[in-house]
Amino acid sequence: MTDSPAVRAPLDPKEQPVLDQLLGIRTQLELLRADKSTYVKSEDVIRLFNTLIDQVEVLNQLRSNNRLEQNRVDTVLDDCFQLVSLAYMAIGKNHEAPAVYSALSTVKRLLDHLHEAAFFSPKDLESVGHRLEEYKSTVERGRESYSPQLTTLLEARLEGCQHLLSKLQHSLEKLSPEQKVTYEKLVSILRSLSACNTKSKYPATEVKNLHAQLKEIAQHLESENKFDINLSDSERFAQVMQTMHMRESKNLEGEQLVADLLNRCLLWHDIIEQKQGRIDERFEETYKKLLGIRNQLEKLQLTQAWSLRETDLYSFQRQLDRIDESRVDGNFLDATGQPADLHTQRTLLYLLRKSYSLIYFLIISSEPVSEALLPIYNQLNTLKRCLEEVKISGGVSSPRELYPYSMKLNSIDNMRIDGKFMIGSDIPDGQGAVNHLLAECFDLAYELRLEATQDSDDEGEAAPPEPERASVTAE
């Protein structure tokens, strides 16, 4: 299966029945995820969730005197919560408390990595902060509907994420508005350099352009690269990182924060220019695995609306978790326990963090519509975009031009039974969202038809008298 690699304490024999039940729940959730012949049904997910909560209550009773116990039961329990959380999203219950679990797990990973990396954009933190507020509201709404076991667990995770977010926000407090713009530009350049470093063919021209931007910023700041030329790349990087991490205790001035990040960008440019995408062969397997995950997630990002089943994210999450947790003191080690060189370490970390951020994007982009209704929802979204483009480009010259849109909308509308979209005898979640989108499309089509009709009437009124047209024809 897909257990986390973290070392666990031996299993208490009393917990064996709980573990057996959890393994069975996980297997059933895995089967739901893997079966692409049908959509994930609400009753199956809710039944498994309730069974899972029952086992949590049994486990809590067994651990009444030892709340800090961590063993394989906790690993499998986390797997179950991750799967059931993503399954709630697949059935369109994105705004229900169970769906929050997976999102919070990903946010925690992201914040941990931002803290470790010691660079991030203020916009990154604003986005995460906004999401945490939404998740907090979701958990609060679910307080009466769901077990206290679940709400307590989610509140603890929320608190951990909020604490780390506040810590990161505090480190950037002294950036002035102008410095914030420069800082965000440097963050973008650093990430772009890392992306260049992982391309199949080293993009020398793109890297050169990014370096030119760095030099322009350095001139504007009247800053110089003050590295000791006698230091190795690793020593120079350690020097930069040490300075950047000082912000946590000293809350550095904005000018120093920008200067630190600029130095780091310049150093990273020098390193990747020297390596040009070549990775230490000892870590080639890990690199290819992370690169493959990143590429698959980027494809899903482009085709999400049509091809993503949210539970598919579970396998990506677990693969990344295993790689992340295999690090020792933050370092990737080879088979003999030796750490990778600086370039390889930072390249692998970039791919790991990028993959987590893509999962986060896919989670927050998930529509609150059941997988069963997604084909209809996606068709309506496409129709809406087309109608909006027609309106922006000046509308139609005749109501006849709207016939294809009207026919499609009517065919979708006729699929409803008593105002609901049915799949067999089931009424999938997301009815409100689909009906609202259908109404928007009808409204757009009506507005375009009305404008076209008015334009036709105006042209008729402005037309020259009939006798004159006859005279012209006679000539």
Side-chain angles (χ1 to χ4, degrees), residues 48 64 93 106 158 180 285 311:
L48 289 170
S64 58
K93 294 183 180 293
T106 305
L158 271 167
K180 188 178 292 187
E285 183 178 348
T311 49

Side-chain angles (χ1 to χ4, degrees), residues 117-151:
F119 82 96
F120 35 83
S121 164
K123 291 181 179 178
D124 295 337
L125 305 186
E126 290 172 10
S127 172
V128 172
H130 174 69
R131 290 294 169 181
L132 287 179
E133 287 299 319
E134 287 187 357
Y135 299 146
K136 184 177 179 180
S137 298
T138 300
V139 173
E140 191 61 35
R141 284 198 310 271
R143 187 176 298 280
E144 300 299 324
S145 307
Y146 293 96
S147 165
Q149 314 288 350
L150 176 66
T151 52

Side-chain angles (χ1 to χ4, degrees), residues 84-96:
V84 84
S85 178
L86 292 168
Y88 259 74
M89 296 173 66
I91 63 175
K93 294 183 180 293
N94 299 44
H95 302 307
E96 297 287 327

Side-chain angles (χ1 to χ4, degrees), residues 87-111:
Y88 259 74
M89 296 173 66
I91 63 175
K93 294 183 180 293
N94 299 44
H95 302 307
E96 297 287 327
V100 171
Y101 186 93
S102 183
L104 286 177
S105 296
T106 305
V107 168
K108 180 60 166 60
R109 291 276 181 180
L110 277 176
L111 292 173

Side-chain angles (χ1 to χ4, degrees), residues 435-455:
N435 281 316
H436 178 71
L437 193 54
L438 178 61
E440 285 185 314
C441 290
F442 270 120
D443 288 344
L444 280 167
Y446 175 76
E447 289 172 12
L448 289 167
R449 186 179 296 106
L450 189 62
E451 289 174 5
T453 302
Q454 289 175 345
D455 289 344

Side-chain angles (χ1 to χ4, degrees), residues 14-15 59-69:
K14 293 180 181 179
E15 295 183 8
L59 183 62
N60 285 341
Q61 291 173 5
L62 291 173
R63 293 182 178 178
S64 58
N65 297 321
N66 187 14
R67 294 293 187 187
L68 300 180
E69 176 71 17

Side-chain angles (χ1 to χ4, degrees), residues 15-141:
E15 295 183 8
Q16 185 63 50
V18 176
L19 176 60
D20 293 340
Q21 289 292 324
L22 291 176
L23 287 170
I25 294 170
R26 186 177 70 174
T27 299
Q28 292 180 69
L29 287 165
E30 284 273 24
L31 290 173
L32 285 179
R33 178 177 73 89
D35 184 6
K36 300 299 175 69
S37 63
T38 184
Y39 63 92
V40 179
K41 296 181 175 60
S42 298
E43 58 266 27
D44 293 333
V45 176
I46 294 172
R47 173 178 55 80
L48 289 170
F49 170 72
N50 290 333
T51 305
L52 177 61
I53 291 298
D54 290 341
Q55 294 306 309
V56 172
E57 292 175 354
V58 173
L59 183 62
N60 285 341
Q61 291 173 5
L62 291 173
R63 293 182 178 178
S64 58
N65 297 321
N66 187 14
R67 294 293 187 187
L68 300 180
E69 176 71 17
Q70 289 286 305
N71 54 42
R72 189 170 180 236
V73 172
D74 301 273
T75 301
V76 180
L77 183 63
D78 182 59
D79 287 345
C80 291
F81 269 116
Q82 291 280 9
L83 278 164
V84 84
S85 178
L86 292 168
Y88 259 74
M89 296 173 66
I91 63 175
K93 294 183 180 293
N94 299 44
H95 302 307
E96 297 287 327
V100 171
Y101 186 93
S102 183
L104 286 177
S105 296
T106 305
V107 168
K108 180 60 166 60
R109 291 276 181 180
L110 277 176
L111 292 173
D112 284 338
H113 278 292
L114 290 178
H115 180 258
E116 180 186 22
F119 82 96
F120 35 83
S121 164
K123 291 181 179 178
D124 295 337
L125 305 186
E126 290 172 10
S127 172
V128 172
H130 174 69
R131 290 294 169 181
L132 287 179
E133 287 299 319
E134 287 187 357
Y135 299 146
K136 184 177 179 180
S137 298
T138 300
V139 173
E140 191 61 35
R141 284 198 310 271

